[in-house]
Coordinates of all heavy atoms in Angstrom, one line a residue:
S1 N 6.9 -1.9 0.3 CA 5.5 -2.5 0.2 C 4.8 -2.1 1.5 O 5.0 -2.7 2.5 CB 5.7 -4.0 0.0 OG 4.4 -4.6 0.1
H2 N 4.1 -1.0 1.5 CA 3.5 -0.5 2.7 C 2.2 -0.9 3.1 O 2.1 -1.2 4.2 CB 3.6 1.1 2.6 CG 3.5 1.7 3.9 ND1 4.8 2.2 4.6 CD2 2.6 2.1 4.9 CE1 4.6 2.6 5.7 NE2 3.2 2.7 5.9
L3 N 1.3 -1.0 2.2 CA 0.0 -1.5 2.5 C -0.8 -2.1 1.4 O -0.4 -2.0 0.3 CB -0.9 -0.3 3.1 CG -1.1 1.0 2.2 CD1 -2.4 0.8 1.5 CD2 -1.2 2.2 3.1
R4 N -1.8 -2.9 1.9 CA -2.6 -3.6 0.9 C -4.0 -3.3 1.2 O -4.5 -3.1 2.4 CB -2.3 -5.2 1.2 CG -3.1 -6.0 0.3 CD -2.7 -7.5 0.6 NE -3.3 -8.0 1.8 CZ -2.8 -8.2 2.9 NH1 -1.5 -8.0 3.1 NH2 -3.4 -8.7 3.9
I5 N -4.9 -3.0 0.1 CA -6.3 -2.9 0.4 C -7.1 -4.1 -0.5 O -6.7 -4.3 -1.5 CB -6.7 -1.6 -0.2 CG1 -5.9 -0.4 0.3 CG2 -8.2 -1.3 -0.2 CD1 -6.0 1.0 -0.4
E6 N -8.0 -4.6 0.4 CA -8.9 -5.8 -0.2 C -10.1 -6.0 0.6 O -10.1 -5.6 1.8 CB -7.9 -7.0 -0.3 CG -7.6 -7.5 1.2 CD -6.7 -8.8 1.1 OE1 -6.5 -9.4 0.1 OE2 -5.9 -9.0 2.1
P7 N -11.0 -6.6 0.0 CA -12.3 -6.9 0.7 C -12.0 -8.0 1.7 O -11.3 -8.9 1.3 CB -13.3 -7.2 -0.4 CG -12.5 -7.4 -1.6 CD -11.1 -6.9 -1.4
D8 N -12.8 -8.0 2.8 CA -12.9 -9.1 3.7 C -13.9 -10.0 3.3 O -14.5 -10.0 2.2 CB -12.9 -8.6 5.1 CG -14.2 -8.0 5.6 OD1 -15.1 -8.0 4.7 OD2 -14.3 -7.3 6.6
E9 N -14.2 -11.1 4.2 CA -15.2 -12.1 3.8 C -16.7 -11.5 3.6 O -17.4 -12.1 3.0 CB -15.2 -13.1 5.0 CG -14.0 -13.8 5.4 CD -13.2 -12.8 6.3 OE1 -13.7 -12.2 7.2 OE2 -12.0 -12.8 6.1
D10 N -16.9 -10.4 4.3 CA -18.2 -9.7 4.2 C -18.3 -8.7 3.0 O -19.2 -8.1 2.8 CB -18.5 -8.9 5.6 CG -18.5 -9.9 6.7 OD1 -18.9 -11.0 6.5 OD2 -18.2 -9.5 7.8
G11 N -17.1 -8.5 2.3 CA -17.1 -7.5 1.2 C -16.7 -6.2 1.6 O -16.6 -5.4 0.8
T12 N -16.4 -6.0 3.0 CA -16.0 -4.6 3.4 C -14.5 -4.5 3.0 O -13.7 -5.3 3.3 CB -16.0 -4.6 5.0 OG1 -17.4 -4.7 5.5 CG2 -15.6 -3.3 5.5
L13 N -14.1 -3.3 2.4 CA -12.9 -3.0 2.0 C -12.0 -2.7 3.2 O -12.3 -1.8 4.0 CB -12.9 -1.8 1.0 CG -11.8 -1.8 -0.1 CD1 -11.9 -3.1 -0.9 CD2 -12.1 -0.6 -1.0
R14 N -10.8 -3.4 3.4 CA -10.0 -3.2 4.5 C -8.6 -2.7 4.1 O -8.1 -3.3 3.0 CB -10.0 -4.6 5.4 CG -11.3 -4.8 6.0 CD -11.1 -5.9 6.9 NE -10.3 -5.6 8.1 CZ -10.8 -5.1 9.3 NH1 -12.1 -4.5 9.2 NH2 -10.1 -4.7 10.3
L15 N -7.9 -1.9 4.9 CA -6.6 -1.6 4.7 C -5.8 -2.3 5.7 O -6.1 -2.5 6.8 CB -6.5 0.0 5.0 CG -5.1 0.6 5.0 CD1 -5.2 1.9 4.4 CD2 -4.5 0.7 6.4
H16 N -4.7 -3.0 5.1 CA -3.7 -3.8 6.0 C -2.3 -3.1 5.8 O -1.8 -3.0 4.7 CB -3.6 -5.3 5.4 CG -5.0 -5.9 5.4 ND1 -5.4 -6.6 6.4 CD2 -5.9 -6.0 4.3 CE1 -6.6 -7.1 6.1 NE2 -6.9 -6.8 4.8
V17 N -1.8 -2.6 6.9 CA -0.4 -2.1 6.9 C 0.6 -3.2 7.0 O 0.5 -4.1 8.0 CB -0.2 -1.1 8.0 CG1 1.1 -0.5 8.1 CG2 -1.2 0.1 7.9
H18 N 1.5 -3.3 6.1 CA 2.5 -4.4 6.1 C 3.3 -4.5 7.5 O 3.6 -3.4 8.0 CB 3.5 -4.2 5.0 CG 4.2 -5.3 4.7 ND1 5.4 -5.7 5.4 CD2 4.1 -6.3 3.8 CE1 6.0 -6.7 4.9 NE2 5.2 -7.2 3.9
E19 N 3.6 -5.6 7.9 CA 4.2 -5.8 9.2 C 5.7 -5.3 9.2 O 6.1 -4.9 10.2 CB 4.2 -7.2 9.8 CG 4.7 -8.3 8.8 CD 3.7 -8.8 7.7 OE1 2.4 -8.5 7.8 OE2 4.1 -9.4 6.8
N20 N 6.3 -5.0 8.0 CA 7.7 -4.5 8.1 C 7.6 -3.0 7.8 O 8.7 -2.4 7.8 CB 8.4 -5.2 6.9 CG 8.7 -6.7 7.3 OD1 8.8 -7.0 8.4 ND2 8.8 -7.5 6.3
A21 N 6.5 -2.4 7.7 CA 6.4 -0.9 7.6 C 6.6 -0.3 9.0 O 6.3 -0.8 9.9 CB 5.0 -0.5 7.0
H22 N 7.4 0.9 8.9 CA 7.6 1.5 10.2 C 6.5 2.6 10.5 O 6.3 2.9 11.6 CB 9.0 2.3 10.2 CG 10.1 1.4 10.0 ND1 10.4 0.5 11.1 CD2 11.0 1.1 9.0 CE1 11.5 -0.3 10.8 NE2 11.9 0.0 9.6
N23 N 5.9 3.2 9.5 CA 4.9 4.3 9.7 C 3.5 3.7 9.6 O 3.2 2.9 8.7 CB 5.1 5.4 8.8 CG 6.4 6.1 9.0 OD1 6.7 6.5 10.2 ND2 7.3 6.3 8.0
A24 N 2.6 4.1 10.5 CA 1.2 3.8 10.6 C 0.5 4.6 9.6 O 0.9 5.6 9.1 CB 0.8 4.0 12.0
A25 N -0.8 4.0 9.3 CA -1.7 4.8 8.6 C -2.6 5.5 9.6 O -2.7 5.0 10.7 CB -2.6 3.9 7.6
R26 N -3.2 6.7 9.2 CA -4.1 7.4 10.1 C -5.4 7.6 9.4 O -5.5 8.1 8.2 CB -3.5 8.8 10.3 CG -2.4 8.8 11.2 CD -2.8 9.2 12.6 NE -1.7 9.1 13.5 CZ -1.9 8.7 14.7 NH1 -3.0 8.3 15.3 NH2 -0.7 8.6 15.5
L27 N -6.4 6.9 9.9 CA -7.7 7.0 9.4 C -8.5 7.9 10.4 O -9.1 7.4 11.3 CB -8.4 5.5 9.3 CG -7.5 4.5 8.6 CD1 -8.1 3.1 8.8 CD2 -7.4 4.8 7.2
G28 N -8.5 9.2 10.1 CA -9.1 10.1 11.1 C -8.2 10.1 12.3 O -7.0 10.3 12.2
R29 N -8.9 9.8 13.5 CA -8.1 9.7 14.7 C -7.6 8.3 14.9 O -6.8 8.1 15.9 CB -9.0 10.1 15.8 CG -9.3 11.7 15.7 CD -10.2 11.9 16.9 NE -10.5 13.4 16.9 CZ -10.1 14.3 17.8 NH1 -9.5 13.9 18.8 NH2 -10.5 15.5 17.7
Q30 N -7.9 7.4 14.1 CA -7.5 5.9 14.4 C -6.2 5.7 13.7 O -5.9 6.0 12.6 CB -8.5 5.0 13.7 CG -8.2 3.5 14.0 CD -9.3 2.7 13.2 OE1 -10.1 3.1 12.5 NE2 -8.9 1.3 13.3
R31 N -5.3 5.2 14.5 CA -4.0 4.8 14.0 C -4.1 3.2 13.6 O -4.4 2.4 14.5 CB -3.0 5.0 15.1 CG -1.5 4.6 14.8 CD -0.6 4.7 16.0 NE 0.8 4.5 15.6 CZ 1.3 3.3 15.5 NH1 0.6 2.2 15.9 NH2 2.6 3.2 15.3
V32 N -3.4 2.9 12.5 CA -3.4 1.5 12.0 C -2.0 1.2 11.9 O -1.4 1.7 11.0 CB -4.2 1.3 10.7 CG1 -4.2 -0.1 10.4 CG2 -5.7 1.7 10.9
G33 N -1.3 0.6 12.9 CA 0.1 0.3 12.8 C 0.5 -0.9 11.9 O -0.4 -1.7 11.6
P34 N 1.8 -1.1 11.9 CA 2.2 -2.3 11.2 C 1.6 -3.5 11.6 O 1.5 -3.8 12.9 CB 3.9 -2.2 11.6 CG 4.1 -0.8 11.8 CD 2.8 -0.3 12.5
G35 N 1.2 -4.4 10.7 CA 0.6 -5.6 11.1 C -0.9 -5.5 11.5 O -1.6 -6.5 11.6
Q36 N -1.5 -4.4 11.4 CA -2.9 -4.1 11.8 C -3.7 -3.9 10.6 O -3.2 -3.5 9.4 CB -3.0 -2.9 12.8 CG -2.4 -3.3 14.1 CD -2.5 -2.0 15.0 OE1 -2.5 -0.9 14.5 NE2 -2.4 -2.3 16.4
S37 N -5.0 -3.9 10.7 CA -5.9 -3.6 9.6 C -7.1 -2.8 10.2 O -7.3 -2.9 11.3 CB -6.3 -4.9 8.8 OG -7.2 -5.6 9.6
A38 N -7.8 -2.2 9.2 CA -9.1 -1.5 9.5 C -9.9 -1.2 8.3 O -9.3 -1.3 7.2 CB -8.7 -0.1 10.2
P39 N -11.2 -1.1 8.5 CA -12.1 -0.7 7.3 C -11.5 0.5 6.6 O -11.2 1.5 7.3 CB -13.5 -0.6 7.8 CG -13.4 -1.3 9.2 CD -12.0 -1.2 9.7
V40 N -11.5 0.6 5.3 CA -11.3 1.8 4.6 C -12.3 2.8 4.7 O -13.4 2.5 4.4 CB -10.9 1.4 3.1 CG1 -10.6 2.7 2.3 CG2 -9.8 0.5 3.0
P41 N -12.0 4.0 5.1 CA -13.0 5.0 5.2 C -13.4 5.6 3.9 O -12.6 5.6 2.9 CB -12.4 6.0 6.2 CG -11.1 6.0 5.9 CD -10.7 4.5 5.6
R42 N -14.5 6.3 3.8 CA -15.0 7.0 2.5 C -14.2 8.3 2.4 O -14.1 8.8 1.3 CB -16.4 7.3 2.6 CG -17.4 6.0 2.5 CD -17.4 5.5 1.2 NE -18.2 4.3 1.1 CZ -18.4 3.6 -0.1 NH1 -17.8 4.0 -1.2 NH2 -19.2 2.5 -0.1
E43 N -13.8 8.9 3.5 CA -13.0 10.1 3.4 C -11.6 9.9 3.2 O -11.0 8.7 3.4 CB -13.4 11.0 4.7 CG -12.8 10.4 5.9 CD -13.8 9.5 6.6 OE1 -15.0 9.4 6.2 OE2 -13.3 8.9 7.6
A44 N -10.7 10.9 3.1 CA -9.3 10.9 2.9 C -8.6 10.3 4.3 O -9.2 10.5 5.3 CB -8.7 12.1 2.4
W45 N -7.5 9.7 4.1 CA -6.8 9.2 5.2 C -5.2 9.4 4.8 O -4.9 9.8 3.7 CB -7.1 7.8 5.5 CG -7.2 6.8 4.4 CD1 -8.4 6.7 3.6 CD2 -6.3 6.0 3.8 NE1 -8.2 5.8 2.5 CE2 -6.9 5.4 2.7 CE3 -5.0 5.7 4.1 CZ2 -6.2 4.4 1.9 CZ3 -4.3 4.8 3.3 CH2 -4.9 4.2 2.2
S46 N -4.3 9.0 5.8 CA -2.9 9.3 5.5 C -2.0 8.3 5.9 O -2.3 7.4 6.8 CB -2.5 10.7 6.2 OG -2.6 10.6 7.4

């Protein structure tokens, strides 16, 4: 169970990396590590 995507209170879609995951998500140059979240970009991410 690596990540979850859901809207926040404002309706912005956010990516949440599970706290037990070892690998971070990369949103362009931004690293989203385990237990962290960030807005989902319109472009591809990894």
Side-chain angles (χ1 to χ4, degrees):
S1 179
H2 203 93
L3 57 93
R4 181 179 78 253
I5 300 170
E6 64 187 338
D8 63 13
E9 308 82 41
D10 299 330
T12 302
L13 210 55
R14 294 189 68 83
L15 175 141
H16 304 272
V17 177
H18 194 279
E19 53 275 351
N20 292 332
H22 292 292
N23 292 309
R26 289 259 176 217
L27 310 170
R29 292 178 180 243
Q30 180 184 4
R31 179 186 185 278
V32 182
Q36 298 178 332
S37 70
V40 175
R42 293 282 181 182
E43 64 275 353
W45 43 277
S46 64

